[in-house]
Amino acid sequence: MKSMLWDHLLKFRFPFFLLLALIVLGGYACRTDENELGRDLLPPGDNIFVFYDALDDILTYPVARIPYSISENRYNPQSTRLFLLGNKRDTLSGFSKADIVTQFNPTSGFVFGPNMRVDSVVLYLYFNESIADIIKPVNIKVYELTERIYMDSVYYTDFDITGKISPEPIAEKKIIPADSTVFEFVIESAEFINKFINPPNDTLFYSDSLFKDYFNGLYITSEDLPEGGFFSKVHLSNNNTKLSIKYANDSTAIDTLPGYNYVWRTFSINEYSSQKINIFKHDFSGTTFETILNNPDSKSPILYVQGMNGVNTKLRMNNLETWLDSGIIAINHAQLIFKVLPETLSGISKEDLPERLILVSDLGDGKTEPLYDYVVDQGSYDGYLRADTDGVFFDTTYVYKFNISLHYQHLIDGKAENRNLILQPYDARTNLKFVKLWSNYYDLEGSLRLKIIYTKL
């Protein structure tokens, strides 16, 4: 038996020893001196296949996210889109608030006629999901817009509502936010109700343009809370979200019945012809961000990522000139690795971390675009929260990894001039989660890494 086993090993001895030699040489080539990281960008010219840890080649600092487009796009209607409503105050991120602006559409079911009477007007809002740190009711207010908004216009997260709404709310109600719940807001404003009773002409109820010149829309907000807070995701295009009126006139009367015959009619809010805007506000007073936000010299050991147009992280790729002056370089693999602070330091549990982050190219003036790696293959690009451990005797940590080989190749080839990236939540419009990450200014092993494997041709 031993002889047979030995003969079998001898039969494969050459491939086996060749493989062993390649592993040893590969390990030697991939070994780096931690003291040299970031000092000599490229190894000596005779290195063909090299592993490089670009610890010092990235400038990172927290930034206030530049406002981005948040309105409906008539060319890409989305019936499932959700809009945030609520406000929250905490020591981590200060004060955050989300308000809603929307329109409602005319309907052929509503027929204006003589002897018009209105029994009630009600706004229904469908709350798809709610996250609350409070159990007491919160006050929701509805105002009428006094200026027209348009489906073919682009509106941003910093849309200024000042001077564009009625001085007093047309509806107001205290609610306890809940999932999958329709809340009714009875409109008691006589001025708003009279617009149905005494219109300048009845033809406006049959023309979308004339109707929205007359009924400009609604602004929905929550009363600021002194502590804690809530956020709800409102489904505006849901059939349960609507403005309804109970009315009667000569056109609804039935000859055989005395008096008025009241009927209900609905003015819908949809994704095709109802503009919708989410307005986001942040106040970072009393937080760490006051001194480090938008400051490239801050050298913060911690990076921050927050949704809802809050604090994000800006990264700038430095030292590219050295790559450009070093001949033809082929990037075999480039990966950015962000390690999450442990809960004991961050105060954020694993369950409250964003499921995915995304890196986008910062084009300036609030414009961004996805990296080419993301466009080509979202799966390989990654960005998901993943557990990471160094072995059974070490605590589990969590990381976000981004494979950016194509983007980095374009940078060193001079095909992509913009070196700035923004790290933000994947679904920044409705993602309320917050994460703290180690930066490359953190001196221990858990810091941010840009790891590159390349060939010098």
Side-chain angles (χ1 to χ4, degrees):
M1 177 65 70
K2 291 182 179 178
S3 177
M4 291 177 61
L5 177 60
W6 180 249
D7 289 342
H8 183 73
L9 290 173
L10 287 176
K11 180 179 178 181
F12 294 96
R13 64 186 182 278
F14 290 108
F16 173 80
F17 287 114
L18 178 58
L19 176 61
L20 179 61
L22 288 173
I23 292 173
V24 172
L25 289 174
Y28 178 81
C30 292
R31 193 166 61 242
T32 59
D33 184 350
E34 290 294 334
N35 294 325
E36 294 300 319
L37 292 179
R39 295 181 183 175
D40 299 315
L41 186 61
L42 293 177
D46 58 349
N47 286 328
I48 303 299
F49 185 76
V50 182
F51 171 82
Y52 171 60
D53 195 342
L55 174 64
D56 298 328
D57 292 344
I58 310 173
L59 173 67
T60 61
Y61 59 98
V63 293
R65 183 69 171 89
I66 298 172
Y68 51 83
S69 171
I70 198 70
S71 52
E72 286 282 17
N73 182 347
R74 69 161 64 246
Y75 303 106
N76 184 30
Q78 299 178 29
S79 62
T80 58
R81 187 177 165 194
L82 304 175
F83 291 79
L84 288 173
L85 175 68
N87 68 88
K88 183 178 180 179
R89 192 183 306 272
D90 62 41
T91 56
L92 284 178
S93 55
F95 179 73
S96 303
K97 187 170 186 177
D99 296 333
I100 293 173
V101 173
T102 188
Q103 295 172 307
F104 51 95
N105 302 316
T107 173
S108 59
F110 178 83
V111 179
F112 181 82
N115 298 313
M116 185 74 177
R117 293 189 179 187
V118 174
D119 177 79
S120 55
V121 180
V122 182
L123 173 66
Y124 298 89
L125 294 177
Y126 180 73
F127 282 46
N128 185 76
E129 178 185 353
S130 295
I131 302 171
D133 292 338
I134 56 171
I135 57 174
K136 60 183 180 181
V138 294
N139 198 29
I140 305 298
K141 297 181 179 182
V142 181
Y143 295 81
E144 185 183 12
L145 291 183
T146 56
E147 289 188 14
R148 171 82 187 269
I149 55 176
Y150 298 87
M151 272 299 294
D152 55 0
S153 295
V154 178
Y155 298 92
Y156 293 83
T157 51
D158 63 343
F159 180 72
D160 188 2
I161 202 70
T162 305
K164 299 181 177 68
I165 60 174
S166 57
E168 299 295 330
I170 61 174
E172 187 172 358
K173 183 178 182 179
K174 289 186 176 181
I175 66 169
I176 296 178
D179 295 353
S180 305
T181 303
V182 178
F183 291 98
E184 301 178 7
F185 299 87
V186 177
I187 295 177
E188 298 178 348
S189 167
E191 184 177 356
F192 185 82
I193 295 172
N194 282 335
K195 294 178 76 169
F196 292 93
I197 299 174
N198 299 306
N201 60 75
D202 59 354
T203 59
L204 64 86
F205 291 103
Y206 306 99
S207 166
D208 184 80
S209 179
L210 293 176
F211 181 84
K212 288 171 181 171
D213 282 340
Y214 188 56
F215 292 101
N216 296 146
L218 304 171
Y219 168 63
I220 307 163
T221 185
S222 59
E223 198 167 87
D224 294 354
L225 298 168
E227 58 182 1
F230 86 101
F231 280 103
S232 293
K233 297 178 181 180
V234 182
H235 193 178
L236 293 176
S237 294
N238 188 282
N239 290 333
N240 293 308
T241 296
K242 57 193 176 183
L243 182 80
S244 294
I245 181 171
K246 184 180 180 181
Y247 77 102
N249 57 35
D250 288 355
S251 69
T252 66
I254 299 177
D255 294 339
T256 57
L257 295 177
Y260 284 90
N261 181 38
Y262 285 91
V263 295
W264 280 99
R265 294 294 180 262
T266 294
F267 300 88
S268 67
I269 300 172
N270 63 27
E271 68 273 26
Y272 303 106
S273 52
S274 302
Q275 183 56 280
K276 309 174 194 71
I277 309 165
N278 237 161
I279 303 173
F280 298 147
K281 301 174 184 177
H282 295 274
D283 182 359
F284 301 116
S285 301
T287 69
T288 306
F289 302 135
E290 277 193 298
T291 57
I292 65 175
L293 199 62
N294 300 323
N295 180 8
D297 299 323
S298 62
K299 305 291 186 187
S300 172
I302 300 175
L303 305 177
Y304 304 87
V305 179
Q306 179 187 24
M308 213 179 80
N309 202 46
V311 174
N312 288 175
T313 288
K314 190 168 188 174
L315 301 91
R316 178 174 175 79
M317 302 299 182
N318 293 326
N319 298 327
L320 291 178
E321 287 75 17
T322 310
W323 289 92
L324 293 170
D325 295 339
S326 300
I328 301 176
I329 301 294
I331 300 297
N332 306 102
H333 185 64
Q335 186 179 62
L336 268 170
I337 304 172
F338 296 88
K339 186 165 287 190
V340 179
L341 267 69
E343 182 180 352
T344 53
L345 295 177
S346 68
I348 305 172
S349 66
K350 186 262 179 181
E351 291 72 23
D352 292 330
L353 296 173
E355 295 181 7
R356 192 180 190 186
L357 303 180
I358 187 171
L359 275 170
V360 294
S361 185
D362 180 14
L363 305 180
D365 298 326
K367 297 179 181 178
T368 62
E369 67 179 10
L371 301 191
Y372 192 46
D373 302 79
Y374 175 83
V375 175
V376 171
D377 189 345
Q378 289 192 33
S380 297
Y381 170 80
D382 206 351
Y384 289 96
L385 176 69
R386 301 186 186 279
D388 188 52
T389 182
D390 294 323
V392 294
F393 299 107
F394 295 86
D395 293 334
T396 299
T397 56
Y398 295 92
V399 298
Y400 297 91
K401 297 181 179 181
F402 297 89
N403 298 309
I404 58 169
S405 305
L406 297 176
H407 178 74
Y408 209 81
Q409 184 73 65
H410 281 188
L411 285 175
I412 66 171
D413 288 346
K415 296 179 180 178
E417 296 181 359
N418 181 35
R419 306 180 184 189
N420 297 323
L421 302 176
I422 298 291
L423 181 65
Q424 63 185 40
Y426 178 72
D427 48 349
R429 286 177 171 177
T430 57
N431 194 322
L432 298 167
K433 295 185 176 181
F434 187 84
V435 63
K436 295 182 179 182
L437 310 162
W438 290 120
S439 79
N440 52 323
Y441 303 117
Y442 176 63
D443 292 334
L444 301 181
E445 197 169 319
S447 62
L448 164 66
R449 286 292 194 270
L450 170 59
K451 295 185 175 181
I452 303 170
I453 300 175
Y454 69 94
T455 304
K456 187 173 182 181
L457 304 177

